[in-house]
Amino acid sequence: MITKKTEPNSEEEIFNVMHPLVKQWFKQKFQKFTPPQLYGLLEIHSRNNILVSASTGSGKSLTCFLSILNELVDSSEKGILEDRTYCVYISPLKALSNDIEVNLKEPLKEMEEIYGKKLGIRIGVRTGDTTTAERAKMAAKPPHILITTPESLGILLNTIKFKEHLRKVDWIAVDELHSLAENKRGVHLSLTLERLQQLSPGACRIGLSATVAPLETVAMYLVGNKDCIIVDAPFLKELDLKVISPVKDLIETTYDSMNKQTYELLDQLIQEHKTTIIFTNTRAGTERVVNHLKTKFPKNYSENIGAHHGSLSREHRLDLEQKMREGKLKVCVTSTSLELGIDIGYIDLVILLGSPKSVARAKQRCLPYDSRILLSDGTYKTIGEIVEHKLDVPIQSYDIKRKNFVKNKIIDYHKSISRQILNIKLHSGSLLRCTYEHPIMTQTGWKNASQLTEGEYVAEIFDLKNKSTLYLYEIIPKHKFYVENQDDFLRKIVDRYVQKKRCDYSGIAKRVGIHQNTLQNYMRKKGRRKSIRLDTFLKLMKICNVQKKQYLFYLQEIKSKSHHRKPLPLKFTKDLMWLAGVVASDGALTKSAYSSDIKIKIGNKDKRLLERCRRIYNEIGFYPKIRYDKKRKFYSLDCGAQFVVAIFSALGIKIGKGKSHNIEVSNILNKLPKDLIIPFIEGVLEGDGNKDINIRIFSSSKKFMLGIHNLLNRCGIHNYFVYQQAKTSKVIKKITSDEGYCLKIGRNKHVQEFLKYCTLYGKKAQFLKNKHYNKGPNEKDVDANISWTKILTITKENKKQQVYNITLKSEPNNYYAESLLMHNCGRAGHKLHDTIKGRIIVLDRDDLIENAVLSKHVVEHNIDRIHIPTNCLDVLAQQIYGIAISEQINIKELYALIKNSYCYQTLKWEEFLEVIDYLSGKYSTLEERHIYAKIWYDEETGMIGKRGKLARIIYMTNIGTIPDESFISVKIGDYIIGKIDENFLEKLKPGDIFVLGGNTYQFKHAKGMVAYVSTAIGRTPTVPSWVSDMLPLSFDLAMGIQKFRKLMEEKLKKYDKEEVLKFIQEYLYVDLNTAEAIFNYFYEQYKYLEIPHEKKILMEHYDEDKKKYVVFHALYGRKVNEVLSRAVAYAVSKTEKKDLEIGVNDNGFYLSFDKRINVTGVLNKIKSKDMDKIMALAIDKTEIIKRRFRHCATRALMILRTYKGQTKRVGRQQVSSMILLSAVRKISENFPILKETRREILEDLMDIENAKNVMKEIEDGKITIKEVHTNIPSPFAFNLVLQGKMDIMKADDKIEFLKRIHKDVMLKIKMKGG
Amino acid sequence: MYIDKNVKIIDLGLYLEKQDLLIVGDIHLGYEESLNNRGILVPRFQYKETVEKMKKMLDNVKPKKILINGDLKHEFGSIMSYEWKNVLNFIDFLQERCQELIIIKGNHDVILEPITKKKGILLIPYYKIDEYFICHGDKIFEEIDSKVIIIGNEHPAISLSKDGRKELYKCFLKGRYKKKKLIIMPSFNMLTIGSDIFQEKRLSPYIPKDLSKFKVYVAEDKIYNFGEVKNIKNYVRRTV
């Protein structure tokens, strides 16, 4: 049974089963378990079959290794570690296994360091690259953890010596399961797993997979008919995905300019980032991009660019991977071999050339724009501002282990769109808004925001020891104040500078930005200008290289207009802060009615308080008077000191009316140390405080109260924030507004701490000073630098908005948002980003739509379903051969073993017997059987065994399911100019222009493995190679586009351009420019013809020269269209006796012929139930079967790639396979390998299932067919006709074809003669 | 169908009427075996089909003499090979059906001599009869004074294409070599068709670069005379 695990284990549960050494190592290395680990570790520990689905970088591999290392370390320490393989770890790529070796050996080394001696745990990698010496060593002393590939494992199972080490395996782990499951390698592996399980019946299976759908099917693939637990822990990378076009207009651009601009764009993107990976879809494409970048930008790319693909040598690949880890590589271009998410290097940009054709899942761990991030100087900046302007500000991080604050640096900025934000309201009053996946520090460790519950405690900043000091002149508006020019200071300075540098005064004046005369005036001791403007003064000091301490003295004489005699303080003083606090609560800054001057007003009933204030003014040279309002029995003190006004407003006190509502705590205040902050709060307390029960401070400004709350926390003074309805509150009757906020310092310890820093000028502070009491809860909620605060409510906010995040340079990888500690997105430093910037470069308009819909699917987490091939007879033949080599086995037992695999669950006994017959050479005569039979099968006893001396070596050298890559040589005459991929050749038709090595060629014809071309200098290619090399569009994504087309048709009918544009932007999450491009494309189609969509297939007839075309607008992806097109062509050729040309792409297909023939209603004539029959006949009449037969015959070992020490070229294989195909057909049209070829074409290469579904919908009238005639192809048909892949549906056999041509020729000769 | 006066195309062979001589060439017996030896496990149908086709031809013309114009056997592996039996059987079969069997040595016939000696058959480099000079075609013989040269070796085939479809057919070619008539025979091999004379490098030194004056006779279920190459220029693509 397949079950989903819905509850994670707790950390304690996991730690309980951990060996102390492993525990210690883990705690030193990590802060907490990742979700896959929380869900998976114990299951693996208990040896349950498990499928872990999570993204790369989520600690998936460690989930697997941690449990296993735990066991091995335990056994090692107890001295009971056996010489056998405990874990077989299968990874699909050679490159990947190298990476895992690094990731596994490192922890082991670190554990050994803690342990102080070697643990004796061996880790071995066995791939095709392993040398003979290494193999022998492994066979003698087996690795405890064996890392291998599916093929190498297949070989190991047939190695007499090594097989013995695999008899008691505990764990079989398969990495990147999703990538294996969907092809024949996976089918092969599924049987290998059963074979291994047979050897080690007790082994449990662990599958590690990226996000795929449906997980249940993948789990069944992993375990066959056993039980399995699924862990779906989408702890995912965020993908900041954008679709970009290299040119503005994808239609009116020549190939050359498109090419040029594509590379320029590539270069620009690469240069803007640290390390880039470019994915192309083919190896040829990979080489091409590297080559072009090198030749077009020789300065930028030389040693720092590399191509990575499977056919490169081992040294080359390892070297490249090493370079990436070390960050020496600027850009890596790859086809697919890196695609499986190797954690190498520091990659911050991924470029996809053309469309990736399948949805990658992405999630976000971000904050909205206005979330304030704590900087290391104690101040805040909103994350939006930091990211938008890429501010290089120091960030405050918190080292949880050492419990102290650490300064951190930002190294990257991220921005994306989120639809869902959580609002987390805290008991302390703070409100945090973040995405679901954002990790937040809780009392039980890091948790994703979505996992938080109400009532849980989260970490708030506490006791931040801020020591920075500020000079007052730094915070006042410098152009409004003047410095007194005393002691001829300026003249001395400037003269000395002029002498030293031998420059003239006018130069200095110019640099300061004043006239030379003005400068002279300043310098004159008793001239007109005795004082100089503060900003000019500072500029002058800077130019003349005067140290701060030399001129600080003069800054004591800063003035606005009025002159004063006493020196001003250079820095904040306790007195000033206290005064500011009083002003903040009981005062105001008001504008004078007559001038622009601002007055500081303080009003209170307590005269003594005002007197204290006046004294402070006096001390710095201001002399205001206290007035008394008899009516209100109220004292007031007004002061016009602009200097003080400037300072107070810098602290956050607002000018004008509504001060009490708008007041907030400014960043300047945040920067100050504790002994200045507390006098300020003391001042506030004197004004708006209450001394009766503990310390209480009130305000009607929430911002201000939260700021003070935060300030107190940062001073290490525990306090509560309370929201109060003023009218109902007993304690705050004074406040007249409806809403009020209150702060309470309740605990004696903290009250005392507060008083320690007070000035005690006011009577409230003095009152508290004299009161002694001992009460308050014990402080469980206060840790060294953390105050645990309760979550009050969590609410969801569904609104599309920009969200932001940053990457930090080093550990600890966290920061404070508002006052809360949260984990940062991504790993710090030189690791893979959690946010990867993805840039898809589109090369045509269909690409644009496709990618926009793809991005939508990514954002909305729609995942493509995978297709797992089943009952593959070729792979089956190979595996039975392997089994027969290693043992004699009864046929019934063998059948049962095979049926354990998910891929063969439905295998019929007859089909199985057909394969046995094939393998035992039953198709040949008895005397020739020794040549063909691979196994013997005794029908009486039912036993099967190997045959022939060479059997083992043949098996070992020919195992595998990946067909040989075939490159076609491209020749002009006898001269080879390059190579192209076999699949690319399949798409070329004579006359096509294509690009190779930067030049354009015209394809003439192909013979065997050679393509003959002629030069076509300067001509526009008809087959853009990037596009034609593409993977097929998935059916699910195709349906997404179909749906969008339908919506667009509705919108275009109903609304004007503006509204449609709005719709596109909202639906596809694209910007206006992209929306406009999409709109234009649809509008052209809409106006010219009409829009085909999910409920309507258009059949568009048009003529070109002598050729007639029928374009079927059937957007179902190429895999489905390959089927539909051939079924239709077959039906047409049946009645019309004509050869038809077929063009297929993701968006539809076309048929082409030279005479008008009747295709009307053809789609309605084909019945979905007849599709299997029709298609079996149809593909026999096409070219595809020849090539695919070679692949299948090679897998079934009918063609041996390596035989008697010689390896055949693909060309030879292909030529021979044609002979083989016709021979096999003479034996039976149902020969198992031929049958498998058809199945592979129809089910794996094409998608007959979905094609049948489409036909059914047509039958049921759910899809309507509409036929239209055009003079030139409609916009949607344009690309299809341009790039369509060619195949021919043959209407008759070879001799009929010859007769027709002969007749034609004879007729012509006769006409000439006559 | 007559390809020349006195020279009739019989299936894949040529029959010289006056001389009562049937010529076939490039049978390449054992082609499957050689594929097997290279790891391509093609089941064996060749011998059976070759004999059947031969029977049909012999039933049709009943010649006095049969001439094999080179490359009877594809490749000689071990002398013990099972395929040897086939070669011997084939020679026996032919000898039964005619009065004289002549075998010209082809470039593949490296160690054919022991057998021919055993069977009392002369293995010769070329055969001259009246105005006909018959040789395998892999090398030039100086001072040929015959009017008509008949060669094999080339395995000529022609690919005809129309509307994107392309098919390859065995064919006879007739043209001139140094003012002499030249007839090129297709291979009698059942497994392969041959090489496209317009697209592949030519093997035989007798064949000139310019084939435009050559006449094409496609041999399938019957013989299709296309006349000169120019007639079919719209149906073939040339690279050579």
Side-chain angles (χ1 to χ4, degrees), chain A residues 927-928 931-932 934 1005-1007 1139 1154 1197-1200 1203 1208 1212 1216 1219-1220 1223 1226-1227 1288 1290 1292-1295 1297-1302 1304-1306 1308-1309, chain B residues 31 35-45 49 82 160 162-169 191-193 199-200 218 220-221 224-226 231-232 234-235 237 239:
Chain A
E927 50 187 347
E928 284 172 344
I931 301 162
Y932 304 103
K934 294 184 166 54
H1005 62 91
K1007 164 79 190 177
D1139 295 339
D1154 57 359
L1197 308 177
M1198 242 194 159
I1199 297 173
L1200 302 173
Y1203 187 60
K1208 264 172 287 305
R1212 170 71 72 184
S1216 322
I1219 298 172
L1220 188 62
K1226 282 174 199 160
I1227 296 168
I1288 299 292
K1290 298 171 184 176
D1292 46 17
D1293 69 9
K1294 200 178 155 181
I1295 292 175
F1297 179 65
L1298 176 66
K1299 281 180 179 161
R1300 279 194 281 136
I1301 292 181
H1302 191 245
D1304 278 9
V1305 173
M1306 291 304 114
K1308 259 178 216 159
I1309 294 170
Chain B
Y31 190 73
L35 285 175
N36 291 169
N37 285 334
R38 278 182 270 144
I40 295 139
L41 302 178
V42 180
R44 298 178 185 183
F45 292 97
E49 286 182 2
Y82 166 77
L160 297 174
K162 194 185 171 199
D163 303 334
R165 180 174 173 184
K166 195 172 87 179
E167 303 280 4
L168 190 66
Y169 303 95
L191 293 173
T192 60
I193 295 167
Q199 288 179 14
E200 281 168 71
V218 170
E220 273 293 331
D221 59 326
Y224 297 82
N225 181 358
F226 279 89
N231 293 334
I232 48 170
N234 292 332
Y235 300 92
R237 283 174 207 282
T239 51

Side-chain angles (χ1 to χ4, degrees), chain A residues 108-292:
Chain A
L108 192 59
K109 215 177 100 195
E110 286 162 355
M111 283 181 204
E112 283 175 342
E113 272 165 24
I114 298 172
Y115 189 48
K117 56 182 176 184
K118 292 267 172 207
L119 284 160
I121 297 168
R122 292 188 296 272
I123 292 153
V125 177
R126 172 86 180 233
T127 68
D129 289 342
T130 312
T131 62
T132 321
E134 285 168 345
R135 281 174 201 201
K137 217 169 132 191
M138 261 182 225
K141 272 209 175 277
H144 297 113
I145 299 177
L146 171 72
I147 295 158
T148 186
T149 60
E151 289 77 17
S152 291
L153 180 61
I155 289 175
L156 281 176
L157 286 175
N158 274 2
T159 319
I160 301 160
K161 235 180 165 179
F162 204 97
K163 199 173 141 188
E164 293 311 306
H165 301 314
L166 298 175
R167 287 205 182 272
K168 272 168 76 187
V169 170
D170 293 55
W171 297 277
I172 307 168
V174 189
D175 199 4
E176 304 291 344
L177 192 67
H178 59 283
S179 79
L180 281 168
E182 55 186 355
N183 55 44
K184 284 195 171 177
R185 279 186 92 192
V187 177
H188 187 270
L189 176 65
S190 81
L191 286 174
T192 305
L193 290 180
E194 294 306 329
R195 290 183 66 190
L196 183 57
Q197 193 87 52
Q198 200 192 20
L199 278 180
S200 298
C204 80
R205 299 189 196 176
I206 306 162
L208 306 173
S209 167
T211 321
V212 281
L215 277 177
E216 289 73 15
T217 315
V218 180
M220 284 194 309
Y221 163 79
L222 174 69
V223 296
N225 50 16
K226 289 178 264 305
D227 293 346
C228 187
I229 295 164
I230 295 177
V231 168
D232 187 8
F235 180 82
L236 289 165
K237 254 180 245 157
E238 176 193 338
L239 196 61
D240 158 20
L241 204 60
K242 246 186 222 155
V243 177
I244 35 182
S245 162
V247 290
K248 277 189 189 142
D249 189 331
L250 286 161
I251 293 295
E252 297 299 321
T253 306
T254 63
Y255 178 79
D256 285 341
S257 106
M258 174 87 136
N259 204 33
K260 188 168 166 273
Q261 295 192 47
T262 302
Y263 280 102
E264 274 165 11
L265 177 66
L266 275 180
D267 177 56
Q268 185 202 331
L269 286 170
I270 294 165
Q271 293 305 326
E272 280 171 3
H273 293 83
K274 285 199 180 70
T275 307
T276 303
I277 279 200
I278 302 176
F279 284 112
T280 64
N281 287 297
T282 57
R283 288 175 189 182
T286 299
E287 298 288 359
R288 191 163 53 230
V289 172
V290 171
N291 199 22
H292 276 217

Side-chain angles (χ1 to χ4, degrees), chain A residues 48 76 237 629 639 673 678 758 785 996 1137 1221:
Chain A
N48 290 327
S76 164
K237 254 180 245 157
D629 184 338
C639 176
I678 289 182
C758 280
N785 288 105
L996 182 67
K1137 283 277 172 216
L1221 177 60

Side-chain angles (χ1 to χ4, degrees), chain A residues 841-953:
Chain A
I841 300 183
V842 291
L843 300 169
D844 67 47
R845 297 204 290 187
D846 286 333
D847 243 19
L848 178 66
I849 311 282
E850 203 172 278
N851 284 308
V853 175
L854 175 98
S855 303
K856 179 185 170 68
H857 279 217
V858 170
V859 172
E860 294 174 358
H861 315 318
N862 289 331
I863 310 148
D864 290 346
R865 288 164 295 172
I866 68 166
H867 162 77
I868 300 175
T870 53
N871 299 337
C872 310
L873 302 181
D874 52 351
V875 175
L876 182 63
Q878 193 183 103
Q879 284 280 13
I880 294 177
Y881 186 37
I883 294 168
I885 286 167
S886 68
E887 61 182 331
Q888 287 190 18
I889 188 170
N890 185 282
I891 189 163
K892 294 248 168 70
E893 199 189 315
L894 177 64
Y895 183 57
L897 173 77
I898 288 159
K899 293 221 5 159
N900 278 341
S901 147
Y902 172 78
C903 301
Y904 292 96
Q905 266 180 346
T906 57
L907 179 71
K908 289 196 194 95
W909 172 255
E910 298 75 44
E911 279 181 318
F912 168 71
L913 265 191
E914 278 170 21
V915 173
I916 296 287
D917 285 349
Y918 151 67
L919 284 170
S920 55
K922 223 179 168 185
Y923 59 93
S924 59
T925 60
L926 205 57
E927 50 187 347
E928 284 172 344
R929 196 157 295 171
H930 69 280
I931 301 162
Y932 304 103
K934 294 184 166 54
I935 61 170
W936 56 259
Y937 167 44
D938 184 338
E939 283 184 38
E940 270 173 36
T941 59
M943 292 306 282
I944 284 169
K946 74 158 179 169
R947 194 165 178 158
K949 275 180 247 165
L950 291 173
R952 187 177 297 276
I953 185 91

Side-chain angles (χ1 to χ4, degrees), chain A residues 164 676 758 797 829 868 963 987 1107 1154 1242 1266:
Chain A
E164 293 311 306
L676 289 176
C758 280
E797 183 182 323
I868 300 175
K987 288 168 194 99
K1107 269 191 157 179
D1154 57 359
L1242 290 176
K1266 197 164 176 189

Side-chain angles (χ1 to χ4, degrees), chain A residues 369-569:
Chain A
Y369 186 96
D370 50 10
S371 309
R372 297 190 310 159
I373 303 297
L374 181 64
L375 310 185
S376 68
D377 65 356
T379 63
Y380 291 94
K381 269 232 153 42
T382 64
I383 192 156
E385 194 187 347
I386 293 173
V387 173
E388 292 286 3
H389 301 108
K390 299 204 168 177
L391 299 176
D392 183 20
V393 286
I395 298 289
Q396 188 78 285
S397 287
Y398 180 63
D399 187 334
I400 293 161
K401 251 182 278 161
R402 298 201 176 80
K403 299 194 172 180
N404 60 11
F405 296 96
V406 179
K407 196 169 157 181
N408 218 330
K409 203 172 146 55
I410 306 174
I411 50 171
D412 205 4
Y413 307 85
H414 319 281
K415 182 166 111 174
S416 59
I417 289 172
S418 174
R419 289 186 80 78
Q420 291 164 316
I421 295 279
L422 281 178
N423 281 332
I424 302 169
K425 225 182 207 165
L426 302 170
H427 182 244
S428 69
S430 304
L431 172 73
L432 176 74
R433 296 166 70 230
C434 63
T435 51
Y436 281 36
E437 288 75 22
H438 207 103
I440 290 163
M441 186 68 182
T442 72
Q443 257 179 333
T444 50
W446 294 108
K447 266 190 186 172
N448 283 1
S450 60
Q451 294 172 329
L452 295 174
T453 50
E454 290 176 3
E456 199 166 0
Y457 285 83
V458 293
E460 201 166 12
I461 191 166
F462 199 71
D463 203 6
L464 171 76
K465 291 184 180 69
N466 215 346
K467 279 172 192 146
S468 66
T469 50
L470 283 169
Y471 287 105
L472 291 177
Y473 77 86
E474 287 172 335
I475 60 167
I476 54 175
K478 293 175 189 64
H479 60 282
K480 282 188 181 165
F481 292 89
Y482 297 85
V483 183
E484 186 87 353
N485 182 12
Q486 296 178 39
D487 308 339
D488 219 1
F489 176 66
L490 279 179
R491 181 203 283 273
K492 281 181 211 159
I493 293 281
V494 177
D495 280 353
R496 200 186 306 148
Y497 182 75
V498 168
Q499 268 174 15
K500 202 172 154 194
K501 295 274 169 183
R502 293 178 191 206
C503 58
D504 56 12
Y505 295 100
S506 62
I508 296 173
K510 218 174 183 179
R511 281 168 72 189
V512 179
I514 51 177
H515 196 270
Q516 191 186 344
N517 291 345
T518 320
L519 181 66
Q520 294 287 356
N521 279 342
Y522 279 144
M523 287 165 58
R524 217 176 295 154
K525 190 180 176 184
K526 284 184 179 162
R528 278 180 309 173
R529 289 175 187 267
K530 283 184 213 156
S531 51
I532 179 166
R533 223 167 77 179
L534 179 56
D535 51 346
T536 313
F537 176 83
L538 291 172
K539 250 189 234 169
L540 207 53
M541 292 301 117
K542 203 176 168 196
I543 289 167
C544 300
N545 283 327
V546 185
Q547 298 295 313
K548 199 189 249 180
K549 54 183 176 193
Q550 280 176 274
Y551 62 77
L552 263 180
F553 171 79
Y554 300 98
L555 293 177
Q556 289 179 320
E557 295 284 333
I558 288 179
K559 57 180 188 180
S560 51
K561 280 179 191 162
S562 56
H563 186 72
H564 60 87
R565 287 156 202 93
K566 281 207 177 172
L568 289 168

